[in-house]
Amino acid sequence: QVQLVESGGGLVQPGGSLRLSCAASGSILSFNAMGWYRQAPGKQRELVAIINSGGSANSADSVKGRFTISRDNAKNTAYLQMNSLRPEDTAVYYCYATSGSFFYWGQGTQVTVSS
């Protein structure tokens, strides 16, 4: 059973930065893709960024130029570097991974952007 554990969330002022980590319990080489979703109160979960096994990445227009997704296969970990954070980035951020027809989710980590 694959487990994904997120860390790195917290409270940050507008304009600040955070780096989220998503550690997998096993090798991430078997994952077709890893990514991050977020869900703000009263809103639907939305895709933030995704990276495939070849390292190609894409992100939502709302975070382009501010957020960067990466993965370290040796550490079985994916990252989301978030810069120039805005209050509207406040949400619970969820890591996910796909392997064939299987989807795996982390438990989520809260990111709050507020002065």
Side-chain angles (χ1 to χ4, degrees):
Q1 181 73 15
V2 173
Q3 288 187 323
L4 302 175
V5 179
E6 300 104 331
S7 61
L11 174 64
V12 63
Q13 291 187 340
S17 297
L18 285 174
R19 188 176 80 156
L20 304 183
S21 298
C22 174
S25 57
S27 173
I28 66 173
L29 291 175
S30 63
F31 294 157
N32 303 113
M34 297 184 74
W36 295 87
Y37 275 77
R38 67 184 180 186
Q39 188 166 21
K43 294 188 177 181
Q44 288 189 331
R45 192 173 292 194
E46 64 171 346
L47 178 64
V48 176
I50 183 171
I51 185 167
N52 67 19
S53 57
S56 296
N58 204 353
S59 58
D61 288 343
S62 59
V63 305
K64 268 186 168 63
R66 300 188 299 122
F67 292 11
T68 303
I69 188 171
S70 62
R71 58 193 284 172
D72 186 333
N73 293 335
K75 295 184 178 179
N76 297 323
T77 301
Y79 303 97
L80 185 67
Q81 178 66 44
M82 305 186 295
N83 299 327
S84 303
L85 282 160
R86 305 167 180 169
E88 54 264 38
D89 295 318
T90 295
V92 178
Y93 284 70
Y94 297 90
C95 174
Y96 84 97
T98 62
S99 178
S101 60
F102 293 96
F103 271 72
Y104 305 99
W105 291 94
Q107 82 287 353
T109 185
Q110 176 71 45
V111 171
T112 302
V113 185
S114 175
S115 55

